[in-house]
Amino acid sequence: MNPIPMAQPDLSQAELDAVSQVLKTSYLSIGPRIVEFERAFADYIGVKHAVGVSSGTAGLHLCVIAAGITENDLVITSPFSFVASANCFLYERALPVFVDIDPDTLNVDPQQVEQAVHDIKHDNAQAKHWLPPSCRDRVMLDLPTQLKVILPVHAFGQPADMVKLSAIAKEHDLVIIEDACEAIGAEYQGRKAGQWGESAVFGFYPNKQITTGEGGMIVTNNETWYHLFRSLRNQGRDVFNAWLNHTRLGYNYRLDEMSAALGLVQLNRLESFLAKREQVATWYNERLKEISAVTIPYIVPEVNRMSWFVYVIRLATEIDRNKVMDMLKEKGIPSRPYFTPIHLQTFYQDHFGYRPGDFPVTESVAKSVLALPFYANLSEAQVDYVCTTLNTVLNP
Ligand SMILES: Cc1ncc(COP(=O)(O)O)c(C=O)c1O
């Protein structure tokens, strides 16, 4: 069996044609393709507006700005995510309020979110324990007013418990920004990821369900935010886009025309990609569910549609994961220990004083997770090979 890639985009002649057509025009940026892609994307998600940006991270950053987050404000999010889910508000010098995850869904635990919001809004004796260790004694903090945003992550394509999180946000007047970078097409209780928050962000890096190379998309029903996003991504130009009239501090977070053309074709093929990914996940589930040292992904019944981004199993605690990864690698099978908790990343430990033990569920999950090769065109024979090899490695 040839080496199996960890992930692989599906690019057909249609994508090649779409990109080369753009290259034959003089519109390589700010042209008709981005407009078309945004319209099609907003329609797909079922929201009024979509704004293309240069990455998911850029999109999250602009949402944080739109929510009015500034220095020392507090944002609730999950420590079990890609680092961009928290970096996006550090850019505005806000502080993370990490809340531990549910051990089954791997998404933020809504009960603990409720507790965190309650403690912080009442500024009670427990409130400071939700802050990063090195920030607990800052004198400038006025916790109840500084808590503004909940930023749930739909980890690995499974939506967080948006019903409970929305209720908490409504009760306490908090804004929800969905990090839907991994969850295009996912549905929770019949509603698509991207329809729940004031805004949501999708990512199109090449390992994602659809790709534009680099790229991302913000979606929103909020007219004011929509105009703000368009201005902010384009150097803060005013809403009339007068070329040299910069009304606010902006960024170059534009998505170019080649990427938009690519994204449009990929979006048209999304349903077939999601169906294929579902099939690959089913093949994995069928083969791995009987291996006692392996726990297969758990999808809650409220998720009527999972958008499979990666396929992540958990290994029993006594298993040496590094050894398993090495042995798989020798057989041409890549795997990843996906995610490392955000609070234990070097920057977060150095800057905020987090230490191992701070978020026990996240940490124990992170020690046992293993992402296996996963993409739409992975064949049943390849899945078979990965699963048979893994079984041999675990049960020599
Ligand atoms: C959960 C999550 N948030 C944010 C991002 C950032 O997206 P990008 O890499 O496009 O900046 C990613 C991308 O990998 C992600 O998985």
Side-chain angles (χ1 to χ4, degrees), residues 55-57 60 81-82 84-85 153 179 181-182 203-205 208 215 338:
S55 68
T57 310
L60 288 168
S81 183
F82 184 62
S85 304
V153 181
D179 182 341
C181 281
E182 302 185 350
F204 306 135
Y205 188 73
K208 295 291 192 301
Y338 199 62

